[in-house]
Amino acid sequence: PKPFYNELVSLNHKLSQEISLPKSFFQPEDITPHLFEGVFPDRWMGKTLSGLIAKPTEHQTVSFIIKAYVPETWHDYQNRITLTLDNKQYPVNQLVKAGYNEILVEPLETPLPDELVFFQLEAETVCSPDEYDEHSQDTREVSMLLLAFGFRSP
């Protein structure tokens, strides 16, 4: 073998560990700007979140769940969201409100054609935390704090 062969193999091994395939459900530790466009390092979502998600294992009926939090002090906060999977939009009837939110979008059209699905969550409005808390110095435009999201099978 060539003199650089061992270095090449170790680099290849290191890189293959760093590239993780998309999952079909994301926990808090997975929700990072490294994997998703439109999310801050502290998991606050801006107006639009997008990324790739793995198609769920073959089930006829599949739903999509979004777990999110909005501080209770944001008393009059309400927001609508839209979920897009590939090119199909799913309007969400349930409003995002202050407190813990668990939003279920079901049933989804199956089968999804590809192993990897482009998804997008879009909030109707964004606001700045300093609008609700005079002591906050956070002026980012955000919609909700993401706790978990992804496909859910029955």
Side-chain angles (χ1 to χ4, degrees):
K2 302 278 185 208
F4 55 84
Y5 176 79
N6 288 340
E7 289 173 34
L8 191 63
V9 168
S10 76
L11 178 65
N12 188 15
H13 184 69
K14 183 179 172 211
L15 289 174
S16 66
Q17 289 176 332
E18 288 179 15
I19 300 169
S20 58
L21 289 172
K23 302 175 178 185
S24 61
F25 189 83
F26 297 94
Q27 301 285 1
E29 62 273 12
D30 305 317
I31 305 170
T32 65
H34 179 71
L35 285 180
F36 300 101
E37 185 78 32
V39 68
F40 292 97
D42 58 0
R43 296 193 324 273
W44 274 97
M45 177 182 141
K47 182 164 177 60
T48 307
L49 173 82
S50 59
L52 290 174
I53 188 167
K55 183 171 74 169
T57 49
E58 295 306 315
H59 287 281
Q60 288 308 90
T61 54
V62 175
S63 54
F64 197 93
I65 190 163
I66 302 149
K67 297 178 182 183
Y69 175 76
V70 174
E72 282 89 354
T73 53
W74 296 17
H75 299 297
D76 57 348
Y77 181 87
Q78 286 190 354
N79 211 340
R80 289 199 173 282
I81 54 174
T82 304
L83 170 68
T84 304
L85 296 171
D86 282 338
N87 291 322
K88 173 106 176 80
Q89 278 198 347
Y90 296 90
V92 179
N93 295 326
Q94 189 178 336
L95 289 173
V96 178
K97 295 183 175 180
Y100 175 73
N101 293 269
E102 196 163 297
I103 299 163
L104 198 59
V105 185
E106 63 180 351
L108 302 177
E109 279 182 14
T110 52
L112 294 160
D114 301 314
E115 288 301 310
L116 291 180
V117 178
F118 170 79
F119 85 96
Q120 179 174 294
L121 270 180
E122 185 167 358
E124 190 173 77
T125 59
V126 287
C127 62
S128 184
D130 66 356
E131 292 173 35
Y132 289 94
D133 179 2
E134 63 187 52
H135 302 296
S136 174
Q137 296 183 4
D138 191 345
T139 57
R140 298 176 295 177
E141 297 282 294
V142 296
S143 54
M144 62 187 132
L145 180 65
L146 294 167
L147 303 175
F149 59 86
F151 289 111
R152 194 170 92 168
S153 303

